[in-house]
Amino acid sequence: MKAGINTRIAYTYMVSKVKSTLVAALGVTFGIGMFIFMNSLITGTNEYSEKTMLSATPHIRLYNDNKISNTDMLNRYLGDRTINLISNPQLVPQDNRIFNPDAVAAVLRKRKEVIALSTQVTANIIYSKGNVQENGTIFGVNIAEQDKMFDISSNMIAGKTQSVADNPNNILIGIGLAQKLNLKMGDYVRITTSTGLTKTLQVSGIFKTTIKNVDETKTYVSLPVVQQLLQKDRAYITDIYVNVKNYSLATETGNSMAQQTGYTSESWQQSNEQSLAGKKIRDIIANAVIFTILLVAGFGIYNILNMVIYEKIKEIAILKATGFQGSDVVSIFIQQALLIGLVGSAMGLVVGWFTSYLLSKLYLGLGNVTYLPMTFLSKHYIQGAIFGLLTSFFAGYIPASKASKVDPVSIIRG
Amino acid sequence: MSIALKAEKISKYFYTPEKFKVLSDVSFEVQTGEFVSVVGKSGSGKSTMLYILSTMDTDYTGNLILNDQQITGRSVNKLAAFRNEHLGFVFQFHYLLPDFTCLQNVMIPALRLKKLSAAEIEHNAYEKLKTLGLEDQALKTASRISGGQQQRVAIARALINEPAIIMGDEPTGNLDSKNTEVVFDIFKQLAAEHNKTIITVTHDNDFAAKSDRIIEMKDGIIISHDRKPHEL
Ligand SMILES: Nc1ncnc2c1ncn2[C@@H]1O[C@H](COP(=O)(O)OP(=O)(O)OP(=O)(O)O)[C@@H](O)[C@H]1O
Ligand SMILES: [Mg+2]
């Protein structure tokens, strides 16, 4: 089936103005190209920062928070004959342990969305070598569980993660701490707790993550080492880390786990609110830029159509005189706009891909960001094409409906 | 004989620059197959009346019947469809679409009507151009042929849907005497051999004199619409 007469007229009008058509199409091209490039870069950046966050934070952390004092006890002893109130309630400091951690862990492992789980004890301590001291946090962990969750092995630049499990005097330290205290493999480092207890450990591994702060403060030892330092029993656990299948739902899953176990949950989103705000701001900036470009592209199409309609007003009149209806005229010029949009969008897809490709090869070398983080998702290209066509449609609609209202009599009699 | 056009008490006002009655109670009939010329001094309302008869101008009072169909009161879209199928126009200026070939220009109203396939339409359009002596120009762009040829292409376009009524507003106004004669002969033949109704405004007295009937206008009224004695 051949194209209808309206399409043929639209096409002829378009090719009769190659130059202006190209200019208008280029507007769409840049809009769509920019749309694709921006989205590819932003998604890349978001994925990168998400990866960075998740390399240090579990999807969900369960811990025992201090509770604010309530009237439960009063009610139990005084009954409900009186209304019991506590004025100025305080947080009750308590042993922040997870009671019977093995049972809690077993309950959590039964949930089918859980893919990794790790129990641990953390303590704020001071590292020292000679007279040099540094603050930090020591993690008493089951290293195999922890490795499964954060893939510490792939970050090791010296030694093995397993060494911590093999010998209770071994410690894994970050590259930053190693440099600050001039520690090498096999060197000894002294640990001092806030209560003044000390212990000397031997460096059996050095890791390098993507986060400077982690590399300078975090260390791993086996669980009993920290339990001893804190003078606690072998069942003392402060945190349970959980990774789940769908980490974007971590907050909801965490809440349900908190309800199930009675402990407080914190998802990676909640502990990284700052970075997620950055993501939102990036999205807003990108959308503003894209919207502006598409608006300008829309004006380009609007402009060329107005020009064509102005020039062809007599032809529109004669078409109406020979029986074309208002809707036919609208269809002619909308189709012309869409043709321009189609050409522009098609070129925009190529330009967008090419720009993204070129800039993904741009070396940054800032911190751990070596190259510009870029994604290549078909979703962005489809969205881009749809946006291009939508812009063309709306830009074409205004002049087209204006053209459809042309009164043939007033034009033809001159 | 059936009636192709019936105008009843058609009146029209213009409101700019001031209220002014351009047509007052114009009534007349045209028989199917008649070739009618409308004459009158400049400004007497000939074009105004023709645009009302052509269904393009709907801002009037009175009643209009074309081809036994009630026209007055129809929606704009229905009128467009009626024009497409039953009316053909030729204007003083050709108003061809300059980006298209002559053949395509002739085909456009038929492609809009969508009664025939594109191949059949192309064949018919080519035949129309042939009867007007334009077969050699068919594939030329409409802007690249002479004025007389353009006017004939415009006539071919007016005929492509085999309309019952053909209207012209000074269709020979821009033509030399030879081309005027060609156009006159075409109209004459359409009326005599194909039973088409022709209504055309003209300033050319010879042209008018040779047609079947002359309607003369003056200041918005018809002052005579006699059939010539030999036609009666
Ligand atoms: N759009 C308009 N607004 C106001 N007055 C108009 C308009 N068009 C035409 N007129 C007036 O209406 C009258 C009739 O005009 P019309 O064009 O019908 O005359 P005509 O008989 O066709 O003249 P001509 O032979 O010069 O073509 C004239 O006085 C003209 O000035
Ligand atoms: Mg006139």
Side-chain angles (χ1 to χ4, degrees):
Chain A
M1 179 65 198
K2 274 189 174 175
I5 182 62
N6 293 350
T7 311
R8 279 165 70 175
I9 295 174
Y11 178 77
T12 308
Y13 281 176
M14 188 183 82
V15 294
S16 74
K17 287 223 163 316
V18 180
K19 258 194 197 161
S20 347
T21 299
L22 264 181
V23 171
L26 278 180
V28 181
T29 301
F30 286 127
I32 304 311
M34 197 69 184
F35 174 88
I36 289 169
F37 165 66
M38 290 280 249
N39 273 306
S40 301
L41 179 59
I42 282 173
T43 310
T45 309
N46 288 346
E47 277 179 7
Y48 173 81
S49 76
E50 216 164 71
K51 215 176 99 197
T52 308
M53 283 180 233
L54 292 176
S55 71
T57 329
H59 296 170
I60 297 162
R61 180 167 86 98
L62 283 171
Y63 60 100
N64 194 354
D65 213 354
N66 291 331
K67 299 236 164 44
I68 199 130
S69 52
N70 60 29
T71 56
D72 286 355
M73 285 300 180
L74 283 174
N75 289 345
R76 196 178 300 172
Y77 287 101
L78 299 176
D80 49 11
R81 267 165 301 150
T82 55
I83 294 171
N84 306 309
L85 297 171
I86 299 176
S87 67
N88 192 15
Q90 301 286 318
L91 282 170
V92 188
Q94 55 180 24
D95 195 4
N96 287 343
R97 70 188 296 162
I98 303 226
F99 296 98
N100 197 0
D102 289 342
V104 176
V107 164
L108 291 177
R109 274 187 217 279
K110 275 202 195 105
R111 298 175 67 114
K112 57 182 183 308
E113 67 266 41
V114 173
I115 53 174
L117 187 146
S118 171
T119 53
Q120 61 223 305
V121 184
T122 60
N124 292 325
I125 43 131
I126 295 163
Y127 307 103
S128 52
K129 187 196 177 192
N131 290 327
V132 190
Q133 298 190 327
E134 287 294 334
N135 288 319
T137 311
I138 193 164
F139 281 67
V141 297
N142 177 334
I143 197 72
E145 284 177 346
Q146 194 83 181
D147 196 19
K148 190 177 168 202
M149 190 169 267
F150 296 123
D151 195 17
I152 305 167
S153 289
S154 71
N155 290 331
M156 298 302 290
I157 55 174
K160 288 233 152 52
T161 50
Q162 188 53 33
S163 58
V164 176
D166 295 344
N167 185 337
N169 288 325
N170 282 347
I171 183 169
L172 300 182
I173 64 170
I175 181 80
L177 187 66
Q179 281 161 358
K180 283 193 164 175
L181 294 182
N182 190 26
L183 289 165
K184 287 185 257 334
M185 288 288 289
D187 285 358
Y188 289 92
V189 58
R190 203 153 55 151
I191 310 290
T192 311
T193 67
S194 55
T195 53
L197 275 169
T198 65
K199 187 171 172 71
T200 304
L201 297 162
Q202 190 177 21
V203 175
S204 68
I206 300 174
F207 58 82
K208 181 175 191 265
T209 68
T210 52
I211 307 164
K212 197 169 165 234
N213 189 41
V214 167
D215 289 348
E216 284 179 353
T217 60
K218 194 171 185 178
T219 55
Y220 292 106
V221 290
S222 67
L223 251 174
V225 176
V226 184
Q227 286 165 343
Q228 263 171 38
L229 273 172
L230 296 173
Q231 294 174 294
K232 301 286 185 184
D233 55 276
R234 293 297 293 262
Y236 184 75
I237 293 293
T238 53
D239 298 270
I240 297 180
Y241 284 4
V242 182
N243 273 9
V244 290
K245 273 184 201 133
N246 186 352
Y247 63 85
S248 54
L249 291 177
T251 308
E252 291 78 358
T253 314
N255 287 342
S256 122
M257 285 177 175
Q259 241 169 20
Q260 190 180 10
T261 60
Y263 295 105
T264 309
S265 77
E266 187 185 57
S267 66
W268 67 278
Q269 290 104 322
Q270 288 164 328
S271 58
N272 289 293
E273 269 178 340
Q274 203 66 22
S275 315
L276 293 172
K279 174 181 163 175
K280 269 238 163 75
I281 293 168
R282 276 196 296 278
D283 285 347
I284 291 172
I285 293 175
N287 284 333
V289 171
I290 291 160
F291 179 77
T292 312
I293 297 174
L294 284 178
L295 197 71
V296 173
F299 271 118
I301 292 181
Y302 174 84
N303 210 34
I304 187 182
L305 280 190
N306 259 340
M307 204 162 78
V308 169
I309 288 166
Y310 178 79
E311 271 176 34
K312 308 281 183 190
I313 191 115
K314 290 215 160 122
E315 298 176 30
I316 297 167
I318 198 70
L319 286 173
K320 288 191 96 175
T322 56
F324 281 67
Q325 302 181 354
S327 56
D328 293 313
V329 177
V330 170
S331 137
I332 288 173
F333 290 102
I334 290 275
Q335 286 190 56
Q336 191 184 347
L338 285 178
L339 278 173
I340 296 172
L342 206 66
V343 173
S345 296
M347 293 194 296
L349 296 185
V350 177
V351 167
W353 177 82
F354 194 65
T355 316
S356 306
Y357 178 77
L358 276 188
L359 287 172
S360 72
K361 297 279 176 257
L362 183 73
Y363 183 73
L364 283 183
L366 286 172
N368 325 88
V369 187
T370 44
Y371 291 98
L372 215 51
M374 195 73 69
T375 51
F376 293 90
L377 300 176
S378 53
K379 173 179 99 178
H380 294 149
Y381 292 77
I382 294 167
Q383 281 173 352
I386 292 173
F387 271 125
L389 292 179
L390 274 184
T391 308
S392 315
F393 179 84
F394 287 114
Y397 189 78
I398 303 161
S401 67
K402 204 174 73 184
S404 76
K405 297 196 181 79
V406 162
D407 172 20
V409 179
S410 62
I411 304 294
I412 288 171
R413 62 166 23 194
Chain B
M1 260 204 172
S2 67
I3 291 177
L5 179 150
K6 185 171 182 168
E8 295 167 323
K9 291 187 176 253
I10 288 181
S11 298
K12 179 178 174 71
Y13 290 89
F14 278 127
Y15 297 93
T16 47
E18 64 221 13
K19 191 172 173 184
F20 150 64
K21 195 166 193 180
V22 57
L23 295 175
S24 42
D25 292 341
V26 171
S27 302
F28 68 101
E29 285 179 7
V30 179
Q31 312 268 299
T32 303
E34 232 184 333
F35 180 178
V36 178
S37 292
V38 181
V39 299
K41 278 217 279 295
S42 181
S44 55
K46 304 183 296 294
S47 296
T48 307
M49 182 183 77
L50 197 76
Y51 288 118
I52 290 171
L53 302 183
S54 75
T55 79
M56 283 193 271
D57 187 353
T58 53
D59 181 20
Y60 62 91
T61 59
N63 197 42
L64 176 65
I65 294 168
L66 293 177
N67 244 7
D68 291 327
Q69 292 189 42
Q70 173 67 26
I71 295 298
T72 309
R74 278 203 194 182
S75 76
V76 176
N77 280 344
K78 283 211 172 120
L79 291 176
F82 182 86
R83 284 200 295 277
N84 193 214
E85 191 165 1
H86 302 289
L87 293 184
F89 300 98
V90 188
F91 305 94
Q92 181 174 359
F93 185 71
H94 59 79
Y95 291 122
L96 296 175
L97 274 51
D99 302 314
F100 292 83
T101 64
C102 296
L103 190 66
Q104 286 169 331
N105 263 288
V106 176
M107 289 167 68
I108 284 172
L111 291 172
R112 171 69 190 80
L113 188 62
K114 294 188 199 113
K115 279 235 167 113
L116 301 173
S117 73
E120 287 168 307
I121 290 169
E122 188 169 337
H123 176 259
N124 289 352
Y126 196 74
E127 287 301 310
K128 288 278 179 285
L129 285 173
K130 217 174 188 173
T131 49
L132 291 159
L134 289 164
E135 63 266 41
D136 299 336
Q137 317 297 326
L139 297 178
K140 282 194 193 169
T141 307
S143 54
R144 300 253 167 87
I145 56 174
S146 79
Q149 290 169 330
Q150 284 171 331
Q151 196 65 344
R152 278 182 282 156
V153 174
I155 293 171
R157 177 178 63 187
L159 302 177
I160 187 68
N161 284 342
E162 302 291 341
I165 306 170
I166 296 148
M167 297 187 186
D169 190 2
E170 301 181 41
T172 59
N174 280 335
L175 300 181
D176 61 11
S177 58
K178 188 169 162 281
N179 275 309
T180 301
E181 206 160 312
V182 171
V183 170
F184 180 86
D185 289 341
I186 294 162
F187 283 173
K188 187 84 192 167
Q189 194 184 1
L190 282 168
E193 292 171 22
H194 300 276
N195 206 30
K196 307 279 184 207
T197 309
I198 315 267
I199 302 163
T200 158
V201 171
T202 183
H203 280 287
D204 183 337
N205 288 331
D206 294 339
F207 186 101
K210 287 192 283 177
S211 62
D212 296 344
R213 179 153 70 111
I214 297 175
I215 292 177
E216 193 176 353
M217 293 188 69
K218 192 186 173 198
D219 299 336
I221 52 171
I222 291 179
I223 54 172
S224 80
H225 46 91
D226 303 326
R227 289 213 170 86
K228 281 183 281 182
H230 70 265
E231 290 288 326
L232 291 171

